């Protein structure tokens, strides 16, 4: 039985599909890519967001397929637990911070300064990190076998982190110029980790304990008129 494809996760995939397939080969596509050199000069300020939804050329279709898998099977599960607003906040904030922080590193790292950054890897990594920690103590049933969500998150995370590097190498880049493509997703994963805060101790029960009353209550139950008279004379 296939899991439900939640609307937030579906919207992320659908937006990446539309931007990559319809705008990927048009002139406007370059205005959607994050180029640290131009962003640091105060131009193309919107690209830390738009670059999240355009897959690189060459392996773009494979990247879309992997985004579909992550958002449908992992992201939708997390969205169903958290709600759409919180889930989208996690992935979009993590993705934008990951790209913007990488561009800022371009001030000190020439290779990053000259790079072109794009792809859904940051939002996918954020979804994977959230899924792995939120459901760490559960078990996934695949066929007749139980699998740890942490193991699924580790494997999926490694694939997503390595994909931008493989796409850059497939496009003809050298390893020296391709490695910056992995930085945004790595930073996004750290931001998602801070968002989830797995080190915090949370109550194991959903029950909310009510505070115990202190002293005598201010209001008393009056059963009848005689009771009221007795209290007034007391």
């Amino acid at each position: 039985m296939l899991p439900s494809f939640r609307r937030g996760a579906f919207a992320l995939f659908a937006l990446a599909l539309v931007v990559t397939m319809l705008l990927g080969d048009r002139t406007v596509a370059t205005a959607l890519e994050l180029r640290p050199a131009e962003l640091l000069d105060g131009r193309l300020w919107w690209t830390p967001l738009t670059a999240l939804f355009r897959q690189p050329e060459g392996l773009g279709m494979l990247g879309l397929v992997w985004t579909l898998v992550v958002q449908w099977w992992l992201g939708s599960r997390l969205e169903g637990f958290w709600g759409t607003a919180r889930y989208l906040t996690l992935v979009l904030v993590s993705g934008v911070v990951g790209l913007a922080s990488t561009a800022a590193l371009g001030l000190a790292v020439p290779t990053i300064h000259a790079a072109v950054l794009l792809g859904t890897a940051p939002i996918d990594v954020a979804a994977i990190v959230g899924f792995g920690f939120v459901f760490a103590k559960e078990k996934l049933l695949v066929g007749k076998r139980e699998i740890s969500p942490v193991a699924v998150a580790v494997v999926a995370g490694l694939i997503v982190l390595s994909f931008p590097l493989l796409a850059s190498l497939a496009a003809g880049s050298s390893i020296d110029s391709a490695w910056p493509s992995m930085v945004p997703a790595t930073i996004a994963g750290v931001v998602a980790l801070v968002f989830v805060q797995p080190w915090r101790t949370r109550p194991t029960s959903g029950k909310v304990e009510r505070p115990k009353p202190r002293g005598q209550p201010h209001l008393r139950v009056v059963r009848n008129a005689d009771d009221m008279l007795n209290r007034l004379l007391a």
Side-chain angles (χ1 to χ4, degrees), residues 78-99:
L78 183 59
E79 182 182 348
F81 181 79
W82 270 356
T84 300
R86 188 178 181 186
Y87 175 70
L88 290 179
T89 299
L90 166 72
V91 296
L92 292 177
V93 170
S94 299
V96 170
V97 172
L99 283 171

Side-chain angles (χ1 to χ4, degrees), residues 141-227:
L141 187 62
V142 180
K144 296 182 179 180
R145 179 175 300 180
E146 291 185 345
I147 300 178
S148 169
V150 176
V152 173
V154 169
V155 173
L158 290 175
I159 295 174
V160 171
L161 283 174
S162 62
F163 181 80
L165 178 63
L166 295 175
S168 297
L169 295 175
S173 301
S174 64
I175 189 67
D176 293 335
S177 61
W179 68 264
S181 61
M182 300 177 64
V183 178
T186 303
I187 297 177
V190 175
V191 176
L193 184 64
V194 174
F195 189 94
V196 177
Q197 298 182 16
W199 52 84
R200 289 185 58 187
T201 302
R202 293 177 172 82
T204 56
S205 174
K207 298 181 180 179
V208 179
E209 296 184 359
R210 297 182 178 179
K212 297 180 180 180
R214 297 180 180 179
Q216 295 298 323
H218 296 287
L219 299 178
R220 297 179 179 180
V221 177
V222 178
R223 298 181 178 83
N224 51 49
D226 293 335
D227 191 12

Side-chain angles (χ1 to χ4, degrees), residues 106-143:
L107 292 170
V109 184
T111 306
I112 294 180
H113 191 270
V116 178
L117 306 174
L118 69 163
T120 58
I123 61 176
D124 289 338
V125 166
I128 291 169
V129 170
F131 171 85
F133 281 103
V134 169
F135 300 107
K137 296 182 179 180
E138 297 186 8
K139 294 293 183 181
L140 293 178
L141 187 62
V142 180

Side-chain angles (χ1 to χ4, degrees), residues 16-37:
L17 177 66
V18 170
V19 172
T20 300
M21 299 302 295
L22 298 184
L23 303 179
D25 57 350
R26 297 179 182 273
T27 306
V28 70
T30 56
L32 305 177
E33 303 170 349
L34 175 57
R35 301 174 185 271

